[in-house]
Amino acid sequence: MSGHSNWPEWVYIGVVICLLAYVGAEAWNVERLVDHAPAEAEIIKVTGQQWFWTFEHADGTKEIGELHVKKGQPYKFEITAKDVNHAFNIHDYVVLQDAVVGRVNTVWFAPEQAGEYTIQCREYCGLLHYNMRATLYVEEN
């Protein structure tokens, strides 16, 4: 018998395991909130093509170069591209998702303030890439 106790090591291991479990649970919860749009979210189909954005609402309304949404309403964007890869970005709402040919990516947001915001492409998509913009109009309910 050396008289050495292992209790401090076991306490240390227990604290580390508890911290890892807590951080993992929080990360899972945040990912769940970010990835899953609310059930009442309106779906808007977004298509990027050189060098403009088109939007199709659930009721069939189509918009080119501008998008009108209501303040406080959640929206789920189904994003794709027709020609080359693009990236759908609403900078003021921290919305950024790739628009890839043959694939539908999703992202959601709920605008909180009325106003005009810029939608732009964040993936170099050709010579007029800098001009691939649209306007988001968030309107009061």
Side-chain angles (χ1 to χ4, degrees), residues 6-135:
N6 292 337
W7 274 105
E9 287 87 3
W10 286 112
V11 169
Y12 175 75
I13 290 170
V15 168
V16 169
I17 288 172
C18 289
L19 285 173
L20 289 175
Y22 173 75
V23 169
E26 286 296 314
W28 176 81
N29 190 38
V30 168
E31 184 177 338
R32 183 183 60 82
L33 292 173
V34 169
D35 286 347
H36 295 89
E40 70 273 14
E42 179 184 324
I43 295 174
I44 297 176
K45 294 179 181 176
V46 178
T47 304
Q49 61 189 71
Q50 292 175 325
W51 287 274
F52 60 96
W53 295 101
T54 57
F55 307 96
E56 183 176 347
H57 293 264
D59 64 359
T61 305
K62 293 183 180 179
E63 298 181 276
I64 298 173
E66 58 185 43
L67 175 62
H68 293 81
V69 297
K70 301 285 185 198
K71 176 182 160 187
Q73 166 72 36
Y75 294 92
K76 179 180 177 183
F77 297 114
E78 294 181 347
I79 304 164
T80 190
K82 278 192 174 179
D83 41 28
V84 298
N85 291 350
H86 302 277
F88 179 74
N89 178 229
I90 307 171
H91 177 76
D92 293 307
Y93 281 102
V94 195
V95 172
L96 177 63
Q97 187 60 265
D98 289 336
V100 179
V101 177
R103 192 165 124 192
V104 176
N105 291 327
T106 61
V107 65
W108 73 275
F109 90 123
E112 298 170 347
Q113 292 186 351
E116 289 183 27
Y117 304 93
T118 300
I119 298 171
Q120 59 190 32
C121 181
R122 282 288 185 179
E123 178 83 32
Y124 180 73
C125 56
L127 289 176
L128 297 177
H129 161 74
Y130 69 93
N131 204 25
M132 188 170 171
R133 296 176 186 215
T135 303

